[in-house]
Structure formats: structure tokens, C-alpha cells
Amino acid sequence: MRGRPAVTAATTTAPAPAPAAPARRARTVVDDHLDELGVTLAALRTHAPRFASWGTELAGRLRRGQRLLAAGNGGSAAEAQHLTAELVGRYRGEREPLSAIALHADTSTMTALGNDYGFTEIYARQVRAHGRPGDVLVLLSTSGRSENLLAAAEVARSLGVTVWSVTGADPNPLAQASDEAICLPGATPSVQEAHLVAVHLLCEMVDAALGRSVVQEPGGAR
């Protein structure tokens, strides 16, 4: 007589061990990041006199009809465009619009120049087109070594355009190629985050120098 098939006991898989103290690890990551940023921001604080000088100088030039040009690469391009948006629009108080151009924002021009002249020339050629004596070119770079920014700085100074750069730690080639520079120590993420603070500080100083001239009530909130 054929026997019944043997019944085997079901095997159970032990649950995977839970990650060890995820909250503690997350807190460490956050603390480390903010501690690194704090070092960079402390260095930024020492440049208060330069921000005051730049804000007063830029406000005077923009009021006289000069313009600001700005450029960067990657995240620094985003910061440069943030700067021009605050000037053409408004920062805190309502005031007259100010002439400011982010050189990377025109994608058709950027891709045409990159295709025809190479990436190194994408900003330099636009500076030749738009730059006039007395204008200001602001260049942002965490490394201070981007060839296209160095080329733009060289062309700008040959045209009588004042070059200000905000970079990572010095010494670096872009700081040396600029008329004035703010150089910040720290890891790349910390420097990039501090650059946004630098952009806002410059806007703050420009508005203070202009007295935040009121044109009309703000049309909407951001």
C-alpha cells in the first residue's frame, strides 16, 4: 500500500535585521553637514566690508545705466541666475528694475556658441557682445578653475568691465583673474550653499544703497 507523502515542516526565513540606529546616523549626517557649512559661513562673515563696498558700487553703476552680467556652471549657474532675477525683479522692498543678465540663460545662444566655438568661449563671446566699460561681471565658481569663466574674465577686463568673483578657497586662478574676489573655504556643497547667502547679501546691500526706491505696491507674494 502506497504511503502518504511525507509532510515537511515549513521553513521560515528570519527577518532581516533592522538598520542600526538610523535616527542616530541621520543626526550625525545632518550635524556634520551643518558643522561644515558653519565654517564656510563664518568665513563669509569676514567679508562684510567687501559686500558693503560691492553693493554701494553696483547700485551706483546700475543707477547710471550700466548693467550686471553674471555666469557660472552647474549649480553656480543657478546661483548667478538667482542674482539677476532678484535685481530685475525685487529682493525685499519694491524698487525700480535693474539691468542684469545671466549669460547662461539663453539656451539657443549657449548651444550655438558651444557648437561653433567650443565650451570655453560660451561666456567670453557674450561678454564681448554685451559688455561695456563700467559694467560689472559677477562670476561664481566653487573651484575657481573653470576655463570658460577664466576666458570671460580675461575678455571683460580687456573691455573695461569690472570682474568680481565668488569662489571656493584661495588661491585659485579665477580669483587672481578678477578685479576683486570673495574666496570661501570648505567642501564644495558648503561653498555652493554659502554662495546663495552671498547672492542675497549683495542684493541686500544694493537695496540699502538705493534706499529701496518704491515704485508701486508689490503685485504678488513669493
Side-chain angles (χ1 to χ4, degrees):
M1 181 173 167
R2 187 175 298 174
R4 293 180 180 179
V7 177
T8 57
T11 58
T12 58
T13 303
R24 185 169 65 244
R25 283 212 313 273
R27 179 61 181 269
T28 299
V29 170
V30 170
D31 285 346
D32 288 348
H33 186 104
L34 294 178
D35 287 345
E36 289 181 352
L37 177 59
V39 172
T40 306
L41 291 177
L44 183 65
R45 188 182 294 272
T46 67
H47 292 282
R50 176 150 288 173
F51 279 113
S53 171
W54 283 9
T56 301
E57 182 65 26
L58 183 58
R61 295 194 192 195
L62 294 176
R63 183 174 269 162
R64 293 192 298 270
Q66 264 90 39
R67 68 162 57 99
L68 172 78
L69 306 176
N73 294 300
S76 297
E79 306 288 19
Q81 193 165 350
H82 190 124
L83 171 60
T84 59
E86 300 284 22
L87 294 176
V88 175
R90 67 173 185 268
Y91 177 60
R92 287 186 188 266
E94 195 69 18
R95 53 151 166 74
E96 67 272 21
L98 303 171
S99 181
I101 301 173
L103 297 179
H104 57 278
D106 183 345
T107 54
S108 295
T109 296
M110 281 274 291
T111 53
L113 296 180
N115 186 64
D116 294 345
Y117 300 99
F119 192 71
T120 300
E121 288 295 310
I122 58 173
Y123 294 138
R125 191 165 181 86
Q126 291 188 75
V127 172
R128 288 191 192 96
H130 299 302
R132 301 291 183 269
D135 289 349
V136 176
L137 174 65
V138 171
L139 300 172
L140 294 97
S141 172
T142 56
S143 70
R145 301 179 186 281
S146 301
E147 291 185 1
N148 56 2
L149 300 182
L150 291 169
E154 181 180 356
V155 168
R157 295 186 71 179
S158 73
L159 295 174
V161 174
T162 300
V163 180
W164 297 338
S165 63
V166 185
T167 74
D170 62 350
N172 65 73
L174 183 57
Q176 295 167 4
S178 303
D179 292 290
E180 295 183 41
I182 291 174
C183 302
L184 302 173
T188 297
S190 298
V191 172
Q192 194 130 72
E193 290 157 10
H195 281 185
L196 176 57
V197 180
V199 163
H200 281 168
L201 288 172
L202 182 56
C203 293
E204 193 89 57
M205 294 299 183
V206 167
D207 277 9
L210 291 174
R212 293 181 188 165
S213 305
V214 175
V215 176
Q216 58 186 15
E217 289 300 313
R222 285 187 286 174

